[in-house]
Amino acid sequence: MSNDIIERLMTVLESRKGAEPETSYVASLYHKGLDSILKKIGEESTETIIAAKSGDKDQIVYETADLWFHCLVLLAQQNIDVRQVLDELDRRFGLSGIEEKAARK
């Protein structure tokens, strides 16, 4: 899997920070603030769950893309480089989930 699309999306998301809310959906989310972004993540999470429960693979893919997109909006809004998340996933790779969770306590 290539990180290229994620990097390209992050570039666009960063560029929308200076855009007028009337000209860009992402700029409108930034303008509305953190609560609106979190609300979208919640909505997309719910829609992903509903899609999964339905078993419709195409809908699962579609809703997961929406969820990931809005999570990327959050990262950009919070000035968190997506590579930090990718590095964290890389750090966890090969670790037992049980051991990783226990280490957080």
Side-chain angles (χ1 to χ4, degrees):
M1 180 175 83
S2 171
N3 295 335
D4 183 52
I5 187 61
I6 293 173
E7 295 287 337
R8 291 185 313 176
L9 277 171
M10 291 307 290
T11 298
V12 170
L13 295 176
E14 283 296 321
S15 75
R16 296 298 192 264
K17 286 183 176 180
E20 292 297 321
E22 300 81 27
T23 64
S24 162
Y25 170 70
V26 172
S28 73
L29 284 175
Y30 291 150
H31 181 73
K32 291 175 189 172
L34 180 60
D35 286 348
S36 288
I37 295 168
L38 297 176
K39 182 179 176 186
K40 283 304 296 180
I41 291 172
E43 289 171 8
E44 299 305 341
S45 295
T46 300
E47 291 171 4
T48 302
I49 291 165
I50 292 168
K53 292 290 283 181
S54 78
D56 182 335
K57 292 186 188 305
D58 290 337
Q59 196 63 28
I60 295 168
V61 169
Y62 182 87
E63 295 301 344
T64 300
D66 280 351
L67 176 59
W68 287 11
F69 176 81
H70 286 90
C71 287
L72 293 174
V73 171
L74 172 67
L75 292 176
Q77 190 265 350
Q78 293 289 307
N79 297 311
I80 297 172
D81 190 315
V82 70
R83 281 171 263 168
Q84 290 178 259
V85 176
L86 297 173
D87 288 347
E88 177 61 16
L89 289 171
D90 187 53
R91 182 191 71 78
R92 293 180 188 185
F93 191 81
L95 293 178
S96 158
I98 294 170
E99 290 172 8
E100 194 281 328
K101 188 172 182 179
R104 287 188 254 160
K105 295 181 181 180

